[in-house]
Amino acid sequence: MVETKANLKNRTRINLLLIFSLLITLMPTHTFASNSTSAEIVVDDLTDWSQVYKHSETLSLQVSEASDDPTRVIRSFRSNEYMTYRSDGPLRNFSLYTYYRADNGPYNHPNFYVSHDGQEYEEVTPQIYKDADNMNIVVYEVRNFRGDAKYLKIQYTGSDIAKSPVIGKAVLNGSLGVRSNLPSGSVPYGSMVMLERATAGDTVYYTTDGSDPRTSLTRKLYTSPIKVVNELLIKISAVNHSASGKSAASRVSTYRYVPDGSLDTTVGMNDTLENFKQLYSKSSIYILRDTPYFFGNDSNRMVRTSKKPGNIIYNTDYDISSFMVYSYFFTGKAIEKHRIFISENGVDYSEISAKAYSVGHPVGNWQKYAYEASLLPAGTRYLKIELHGSDASWSPQVSNVILNRSTASVDIKSTRSAETLHDVQLTASGEAKIFYRLNNGFGFKSYSEPLQLTGYNVLETYAVKDGMEPSPIRKYTLNASNLIKVDRFGQLTSANFPGKVTNDQQLEADAAADASYYGGLTPPSDRDQYGGLNGSAEKYGLQKTGFFTIQQIGSRKVMTTPGGNLFFSLGVNGLTANETYTMVKGREELFESMPSNQEEYKSAFMGLENFSFYLANKYRKTGEVPTEHAIYSEAAERIRKWGFNSAGGYSPEKYSNETKLPYVRMLPLTSMNWANIGGISIFDIFSPDAEAKLDKTLANVLKPNKDDPLLIGYFIDNEYEYHKFYSHVPKLKASKAAIKGTLVKRLKDKYQDIDKFNSHWQTSFKSFEDLKEAELPINTSSAWGDMDAFFRYYLETFFGTVSRIYRKYDPNHLLLGDRWLTTPFHNEKFRSVMAEIEGKYVDVISINHYSYHLKPDLLEDVHKKSGGKPILISEFGYGTAEQGLDPLLPNSAANQFERAMRYRNYMEEAASLDFIVGVHVFNYVDQAGLGRYWQGIWGERYNSGLVNVADRPYKEYLEGIMDTNYDIYKLVLGERPKFYYELRK
């Protein structure tokens, strides 16, 4: 068949991609090491003496053109003859290839010595290896030298030349040999051969046809254990690379195995997909044969001709009782699983579920998966495997299909005792034998009775029936540690509470319960498309501006929708699962169990280090790990039903228009590393070219969204540490923070004379230049006054610059301030100056105000000193310790009822103030039980959510929220009194 242009294009893309991945995979492990410190590979074939540092003059080189190793060193009758090598960098290991005359044993093995200076030598003992096929070839390997070793001396022993070796090749810092976990000989049927590298960074190759793995075109890359189901000859070698790109292969190790049985090829079939002969039919499928390196040495895989689904169908003259399908998926693309169908007649197909799991480790971003099912219905004669993948036609790739000939994989059951031991039972179908290994042990053991485990364990296991293909090796993690703090559902083990999930069935049942709960909520019907109060524009004479804006109803500052209706921003922060990710790598023993990061829970991982139990629980509920888009869309629908009308800060902004939910954005100041200051979170507006850099960045950020009616406005940034301004800024170094240089310049401009400055600040500097890198003490009234002035100057410069550039590129949306941190808000010294100066430049002042009670007096102080600017409370919230999480404010609520009462008190007090235009609650879903990921082991872990880690809504809390949210405009307009419930603090 002539290949189409589309197919050629697809093949070209995949070939380029695979070649690129191959280059990455083969990249030397020392690529970025310094030549002065890395272990450089030296291969001396002894064609001359140029690479030998010193040698006995009586040694000579022998040339034998017919030999595989044509140049060799031979000794004379002199005693103690030697040759010495010197390494320019560290000497890590050494291999010496020698030849002995046949039948002249015992041999006079040479002695080996190492030295760091070429003067003082110490003897080292080599490992000695004989070639199984040519016993007169002997290889000596020396490793584990002291760290400063640079010299190696080889010294002949004895006086009988006939018993002494002829030296053929010397290799410094190359690969050493590879060993197998099984000695040659008879082995149980279905044994797994595991190969162990002797040197880190080696790539291991092997052959099974007797050819040399160093040069053979049939050699295979070792990526996973090698099964023994028939007589097997394995030849193995390793290759390593140095920093300069030099490489060297190790000696060849040879192993021969005879299993106590053989594979029965008369049962079922194993289609290796070399052609289409065993298929009944196919659709949109062709065979791809290139780059077997990535595919377990398989040079025949079935691939789709386009991104549309394709399929292969098998038809047998016997009942298909089981199947095993091996496929490869490219890990950089979204994985869409195969769909499997069976039929009796080839016309009426029914879909079945198959167990799917990853096998082995990825190679060049290609991960192998197995699909299996057993005990298919009697009469099954047709099997259809349907391939899906909308991102790329070349992923997945089916490697081989086995019918009725494979052993089912191993399942485990475990129980936990008071002594934290696991009673681990391994189960497989029929008369299969089970093998296992623990914690990367070198080789598998036969399983005969339940395992008693302690601590954190990685268990790998497989099964094999006589005459059948062994099952894939499956990996499980089992934590028998007494350090467990989080159960498999992400709940803290220290807490027992109503609604705690104990099994998967409870989560599966939640799907129906959720539909009933959310379907039964009835938010107010008098809201416009933005969540504003319908008809209020006409009633109160408010203007339609096309954007959210600030207007006035009597004495009250109000926010209005693009249509002019009254809008009180009831927002929820974090409509995302981002804060549910927690760091798992390096502290696995704290988690009861963790799924594989290559299987169905892959999308619940962020890289290999962080995991979201929330997303995992969503998978258990629905069968899918939701995307960021799906989380946002679902959250937007839910919060509307709870009476909210805005997406608060730290929510994905790109989905808001799709959900028609008003939202806020954040200016990207935090990402401008050039303006960061060590030790204090403020923006260094005095950095060189700061205004030009801001202008360029904000132009790119603001222009695309300037006409979006759903966008409320922009926060400048979040929680600047202005309360540290006096204590930290004077201690900075001008060489690292431009703000310090600006402070020194202003001091010099004011005092002119250094002695005058010293007198006012009670210091003893010799020049103003000395101030730039020094820590300036703030001990005098003059010093405090100068810092007061500088603080004002800083705020004027910062807010004035940001506001001017902002208005230049977006004149339509509100500038919402910089989300004050609670600490400076509570301090009158900072609060007053911040309000006065920021009020000149922003439309709304935003405050993250966490408190047991709202502070109307402090808020009113800000409102007045800012020149009457309205206030948005951009974060607040309460939590409990019921589920083992932190409660945001200690002792604020004993349970979800009290949490609801706190919310109502706070929100209704805020809505009754005539300068508050909105309140945003923190946040949508609880933070991870052991801390959100980017803060490591100290990450925040608050009961801050409207739903918990199991995606179960806090219904009692939400009932109180809805009581207030549904009446929010009655509160704003004074149509009902505010609610108050007496609580502690």
Side-chain angles (χ1 to χ4, degrees):
M1 184 179 72
V2 178
E3 194 164 30
T4 66
K5 290 183 178 180
N7 287 348
L8 285 170
K9 184 178 179 181
N10 285 338
R11 292 193 57 159
T12 301
R13 288 180 61 198
I14 188 171
N15 290 340
L16 290 172
L17 180 62
L18 297 181
I19 290 169
F20 178 70
S21 299
L22 175 61
L23 291 173
I24 292 175
T25 305
L26 293 179
M27 187 177 292
T29 56
H30 306 303
T31 298
F32 302 105
S34 168
N35 285 336
S36 62
T37 59
S38 63
E40 182 59 75
I41 293 175
V42 175
V43 179
D44 186 5
D45 290 319
L46 292 166
T47 55
D48 54 39
W49 295 108
S50 62
Q51 296 190 76
V52 177
Y53 175 60
K54 290 181 180 180
H55 64 90
S56 298
E57 295 296 332
T58 50
L59 295 179
S60 60
L61 295 175
Q62 180 187 65
V63 178
S64 176
E65 297 293 347
S67 171
D68 290 339
D69 193 349
T71 58
R72 305 175 180 182
V73 176
I74 59 174
R75 64 171 297 184
S76 70
F77 289 98
R78 289 276 188 93
S79 60
N80 298 323
E81 289 177 306
Y82 72 92
M83 51 191 293
T84 301
Y85 286 93
R86 182 178 68 181
S87 173
D88 291 336
L91 183 62
R92 301 299 185 218
N93 61 65
F94 184 84
S95 300
L96 189 71
Y97 293 77
T98 68
Y99 304 86
Y100 285 86
R101 294 175 177 84
D103 303 321
N104 269 355
Y107 300 143
N108 290 332
H109 296 289
N111 290 334
F112 296 84
Y113 304 87
V114 295
S115 171
H116 70 285
D117 59 2
Q119 302 296 320
E120 298 181 6
Y121 284 87
E122 58 179 318
E123 187 171 1
V124 292
T125 303
Q127 299 288 323
I128 302 175
Y129 301 94
K130 296 182 180 179
D131 190 311
D133 295 323
N134 192 343
M135 296 301 291
N136 69 322
I137 298 177
V138 176
V139 180
Y140 299 89
E141 291 182 352
V142 188
R143 67 187 78 181
N144 298 327
F145 296 137
R146 53 184 282 180
D148 58 355
K150 286 193 174 183
Y151 297 82
L152 184 129
K153 179 189 292 186
I154 306 155
Q155 189 172 68
Y156 283 93
T157 62
S159 57
D160 189 344
I161 296 178
K163 294 181 179 295
S164 296
V166 173
I167 298 175
K169 181 171 65 175
V171 180
L172 281 68
N173 297 323
S175 293
L176 301 179
V178 180
R179 73 182 181 101
S180 168
N181 64 306
L182 297 176
S184 294
S186 178
V187 296
Y189 177 81
S191 292
M192 293 288 179
V193 177
M194 302 185 67
L195 306 180
E196 184 178 51
R197 303 161 176 78
T199 43
D202 282 359
T203 302
V204 175
Y205 297 97
Y206 69 96
T207 61
T208 56
D209 59 4
S211 60
D212 190 329
R214 296 170 295 188
T215 57
S216 175
L217 295 177
T218 62
R219 72 178 185 177
K220 302 173 183 179
L221 173 70
Y222 175 74
T223 59
S224 59
I226 305 164
K227 63 187 177 184
V228 185
V229 293
N230 291 306
E231 290 192 24
L232 181 65
L233 168 67
I234 303 180
K235 288 181 174 288
I236 318 156
S237 182
V239 177
N240 207 334
H241 303 265
S242 67
S244 64
K246 294 181 180 178
S247 63
S250 74
R251 60 183 169 83
V252 175
S253 304
T254 302
Y255 293 89
R256 292 180 173 84
Y257 300 105
V258 180
D260 55 5
S262 61
L263 180 66
D264 185 357
T265 58
T266 64
V267 176
M269 73 164 69
N270 183 359
D271 187 359
T272 56
L273 307 179
E274 297 174 5
N275 50 50
F276 301 123
K277 290 182 179 179
Q278 297 190 75
L279 292 181
Y280 172 70
S281 69
K282 61 181 176 64
S283 174
S284 303
I285 294 291
Y286 72 100
I287 297 176
L288 189 62
R289 304 185 188 278
D290 55 4
T291 57
Y293 178 94
F294 300 105
F295 306 99
N297 309 301
D298 184 355
S299 57
N300 306 283
R301 291 99 49 202
M302 289 199 177
V303 183
R304 291 169 298 142
T305 57
S306 71
K307 294 180 182 180
K308 296 179 180 179
N311 67 66
I312 55 178
I313 300 177
Y314 290 90
N315 170 225
T316 62
D317 56 6
Y318 51 83
D319 282 3
I320 302 173
S321 59
S322 68
F323 64 80
M324 186 78 68
V325 179
Y326 291 105
S327 298
Y328 288 87
F329 289 79
F330 191 74
T331 59
K333 298 291 183 181
I335 292 178
E336 298 179 42
K337 292 182 177 179
H338 298 332
R339 297 179 65 185
I340 312 292
F341 302 83
I342 59 174
S343 173
E344 293 183 2
N345 54 24
V347 177
D348 303 310
Y349 282 91
S350 58
E351 186 170 3
I352 64 169
S353 61
K355 189 185 300 181
Y357 48 88
S358 59
V359 178
H361 302 285
V363 177
N365 289 326
W366 286 96
Q367 174 65 53
K368 187 176 185 180
Y369 282 80
Y371 289 76
E372 67 166 297
S374 302
L375 303 176
L376 300 184
T380 299
R381 295 297 178 95
Y382 293 83
L383 176 72
K384 178 163 69 173
I385 304 161
E386 196 170 86
L387 281 65
H388 293 261
S390 57
D391 276 359
S393 63
W394 41 264
S395 178
Q397 301 188 15
V398 180
S399 179
N400 67 301
V401 179
I402 305 173
L403 305 182
N404 293 5
R405 195 187 291 178
S406 59
T407 310
S409 63
V410 177
D411 291 320
I412 66 168
K413 295 180 180 179
S414 61
T415 56
R416 185 174 175 83
S417 71
E419 292 78 25
T420 72
L421 299 177
H422 273 76
D423 180 17
V424 182
Q425 300 179 13
L426 311 182
T427 60
S429 58
E431 301 299 320
K433 299 175 184 176
I434 298 174
F435 297 87
Y436 73 96
R437 73 168 182 153
L438 283 172
N439 304 321
N440 298 315
F442 193 43
F444 285 83
K445 299 179 181 179
S446 176
Y447 171 80
S448 58
E449 60 184 17
L451 306 176
Q452 306 301 317
L453 303 178
T454 60
Y456 182 81
N457 299 272
V458 177
L459 173 70
E460 293 167 280
T461 180
Y462 73 96
V464 60
K465 286 184 179 181
D466 290 342
M468 305 286 278
E469 292 278 1
S471 77
I473 298 171
R474 298 198 66 181
K475 180 184 290 186
Y476 299 92
T477 58
L478 295 170
N479 192 356
S481 167
N482 59 3
L483 301 176
I484 293 174
K485 293 185 177 181
V486 172
D487 67 18
R488 68 191 188 93
F489 300 106
Q491 304 163 128
L492 289 161
T493 57
S494 60
N496 291 308
F497 52 90
K500 188 171 186 178
V501 177
T502 58
N503 58 61
D504 287 4
Q505 290 70 35
Q506 293 171 348
L507 286 174
E508 292 168 6
D510 277 356
D514 286 350
S516 175
Y517 168 70
Y518 292 110
L521 300 178
T522 55
S525 59
D526 60 348
R527 305 295 196 255
D528 68 10
Q529 62 179 313
Y530 300 101
L533 181 62
N534 254 333
S536 55
E538 294 80 4
K539 183 175 181 179
Y540 297 104
L542 300 170
Q543 298 300 308
K544 178 180 178 179
T545 65
F547 299 97
F548 287 92
T549 189
I550 301 300
Q551 298 190 51
Q552 196 101 5
I553 296 180
S555 63
R556 180 171 188 121
K557 297 281 188 181
V558 296
M559 189 181 293
T560 57
T561 68
N565 282 324
L566 171 62
F567 181 82
F568 190 86
S569 183
L570 290 170
V572 180
N573 287 300
L575 302 187
T576 170
N578 193 43
E579 300 205 1
T580 69
Y581 287 95
T582 194
M583 184 182 74
V584 294
K585 188 173 182 179
R587 53 176 186 168
E588 291 86 353
E589 72 281 357
L590 302 182
F591 302 93
E592 180 184 16
S593 67
M594 289 295 304
S596 167
N597 57 26
Q598 294 297 335
E599 298 176 19
E600 60 263 52
Y601 292 98
K602 177 180 179 180
S603 299
F605 282 87
M606 183 183 292
L608 300 178
E609 297 185 352
N610 307 301
F611 181 71
S612 169
F613 285 96
Y614 174 76
L615 293 181
N617 288 333
K618 293 287 285 183
Y619 173 82
R620 295 182 177 108
K621 281 189 175 189
T622 66
E624 293 183 1
V625 176
T627 61
E628 179 187 66
H629 182 196
I631 291 288
Y632 185 92
S633 299
E634 181 180 68
E637 181 181 0
R638 287 177 174 181
I639 69 170
R640 276 194 171 111
K641 291 189 174 185
W642 293 323
F644 294 100
N645 59 18
S646 314
Y650 300 105
S651 299
E653 301 152 351
K654 55 189 173 184
Y655 310 120
S656 295
N657 278 278
E658 181 181 322
T659 59
K660 304 303 180 186
L661 183 68
Y663 71 107
V664 293
R665 287 180 174 268
M666 185 91 69
L667 295 181
L669 271 62
T670 298
S671 64
M672 300 179 185
N673 295 329
W674 51 267
N676 290 345
I677 301 174
I680 179 173
S681 176
I682 60 173
F683 188 89
D684 194 345
I685 192 63
F686 303 115
S687 294
D689 301 319
E691 184 165 354
K693 292 176 182 176
L694 273 170
D695 190 285
K696 181 178 179 180
T697 300
L698 295 189
N700 293 330
V701 168
L702 297 172
K703 286 180 180 179
N705 305 294
K706 71 181 182 66
D707 297 320
D708 184 358
L710 283 168
L711 175 57
I712 297 171
Y714 286 83
F715 295 119
I716 294 174
D717 210 334
N718 184 62
E719 296 189 337
Y720 284 135
E721 295 175 323
Y722 292 131
H723 59 291
K724 294 183 178 180
F725 194 91
Y726 291 67
S727 58
H728 283 63
V729 171
K731 296 179 181 179
L732 296 171
K733 295 181 182 296
S735 58
K736 296 183 179 180
I739 191 173
K740 176 62 177 299
T742 304
L743 170 62
V744 172
K745 182 180 183 304
R746 285 178 59 84
L747 293 172
K748 182 179 180 180
D749 289 345
K750 176 180 179 179
Y751 290 104
Q752 298 295 316
D753 183 80
I754 190 62
D755 292 333
K756 184 177 179 182
F757 168 79
N758 285 332
S759 174
H760 280 80
W761 281 60
Q762 294 185 1
T763 54
S764 56
F765 292 103
K766 294 181 179 179
S767 69
F768 284 105
E769 191 68 23
D770 292 344
L771 273 61
K772 292 182 178 180
E773 301 299 296
E775 294 187 3
L776 306 183
I778 313 299
N779 296 324
T780 68
S781 59
S782 294
W784 281 103
D786 290 339
M787 285 304 299
D788 287 340
F790 187 62
F791 185 43
R792 283 178 168 274
Y793 178 70
Y794 167 81
L795 294 177
E796 287 277 3
T797 306
F798 174 61
F799 287 110
T801 303
V802 172
S803 174
R804 182 171 60 256
I805 297 172
Y806 176 81
R807 311 287 182 193
K808 175 180 175 182
Y809 296 111
D810 189 345
N812 300 324
H813 295 106
L814 299 170
L815 189 57
L816 298 173
D818 59 333
R819 299 168 59 92
W820 288 8
L821 186 65
T822 294
T823 305
F825 168 64
H826 281 88
N827 188 311
E828 193 278 335
K829 178 180 179 63
F830 295 100
R831 181 177 68 246
S832 296
V833 179
M834 290 160 58
E836 175 192 340
I837 296 175
E838 186 173 346
K840 300 177 185 179
Y841 300 105
V842 301
D843 300 301
V844 177
I845 290 180
S846 58
I847 302 173
N848 293 351
H849 178 26
Y850 289 92
S851 177
Y852 293 96
H853 301 283
L854 192 77
K855 302 293 178 65
D857 55 335
L858 302 187
L859 294 168
E860 187 171 6
D861 186 47
V862 172
H863 172 62
K864 289 180 178 178
K865 290 176 178 175
S866 66
K869 289 296 168 71
I871 294 173
L872 170 67
I873 297 174
S874 42
E875 270 190 33
F876 93 104
Y878 302 101
T880 79
E882 285 180 306
Q883 299 190 11
L885 299 169
D886 293 338
L888 276 173
L889 290 170
N891 303 315
S892 60
N895 49 47
Q896 295 301 321
F897 171 77
E898 288 192 3
R899 193 179 177 206
M901 297 303 100
R902 289 281 187 194
Y903 178 94
R904 296 200 66 189
N905 286 351
Y906 189 106
M907 183 67 79
E908 298 203 12
E909 176 81 5
S912 70
L913 298 175
D914 63 8
F915 50 84
I916 302 293
V917 295
V919 181
H920 294 178
V921 68
F922 183 83
N923 59 332
Y924 174 61
V925 60
D926 282 340
Q927 294 174 324
L930 291 188
R932 56 187 184 183
Y933 74 98
W934 69 85
Q935 295 171 317
I937 62 175
W938 307 112
E940 288 183 9
R941 55 202 72 191
Y942 290 125
N943 166 223
S944 53
L946 307 177
V947 298
N948 72 1
V949 68
D951 194 43
R952 290 185 162 180
Y954 290 109
K955 293 181 181 179
E956 194 170 16
Y957 174 42
L958 288 162
E959 185 176 343
I961 286 175
M962 288 183 284
D963 286 342
T964 291
N965 288 1
Y966 287 3
D967 276 357
I968 196 65
Y969 292 116
K970 293 180 181 178
L971 291 159
V972 170
L973 295 170
E975 295 175 358
R976 81 155 171 83
K978 63 185 179 184
F979 173 88
Y980 183 74
Y981 186 90
E982 186 66 39
L983 286 161
R984 297 165 294 167
K985 292 194 176 182

